[in-house]
Amino acid sequence: MLDQNYAAPLHASLHRPLLIFGGEREMVLLYAITVFTFIFAVLTWWATAIGVVLWVVGQWGLARAAVFDAQLSKTGIRALRYAKAYRARATPFARLKEWK
């Protein structure tokens, strides 16, 4: 019984990232709230035009970032946090640094 191949179905929602308009969910919602707050705080025609341009450009940038990595905000923060521990250009000839 153990030598049979067994495959368990895995639903796509368990491993697919949550994206809104092609961008990371949290970042898109935060950006939308920021842009709409700007538009409704100033409440003029030029603020609406600037807000729409900011929304289109920002959404395009967030979608491009999600193509690169769907969880870029989380992995980017983690990479910055570990930058001191893990050097970007490690070589086999590097001196060992003692942990304190």
Side-chain angles (χ1 to χ4, degrees), residues 1 5 12 15 18 20 23 27-28 30 42 44-46 53-54 57 70-71 74-75 80 85 91:
M1 181 152 212
N5 289 337
H15 62 84
L18 288 173
I20 297 178
M27 298 302 292
V28 169
L30 180 67
V42 179
T44 60
W45 65 270
W46 57 268
V53 169
L54 284 174
V57 171
Q71 295 179 349
K74 295 172 186 67
T75 57
L80 291 175
T91 67

Side-chain angles (χ1 to χ4, degrees), residues 41-62:
V42 179
L43 211 55
T44 60
W45 65 270
W46 57 268
T48 304
I50 291 174
V52 168
V53 169
L54 284 174
W55 170 255
V56 169
V57 171
Q59 183 58 42
W60 176 81
L62 289 174

Side-chain angles (χ1 to χ4, degrees), residues 2-31:
L2 293 176
D3 28 332
Q4 295 177 355
N5 289 337
Y6 180 74
L10 187 63
H11 197 272
S13 65
L14 294 174
H15 62 84
R16 199 172 18 169
L18 288 173
L19 302 178
I20 297 178
F21 299 123
E24 187 179 354
R25 179 178 178 266
E26 293 87 5
M27 298 302 292
V28 169
L29 292 176
L30 180 67
Y31 192 69

Side-chain angles (χ1 to χ4, degrees), residues 75-97:
T75 57
I77 290 171
R78 187 172 48 226
L80 291 175
R81 189 178 304 141
Y82 292 148
K84 293 179 183 175
Y86 300 109
R87 300 289 178 210
R89 296 187 180 102
T91 67
F93 307 108
R95 285 184 264 164
L96 294 177
K97 186 176 183 180

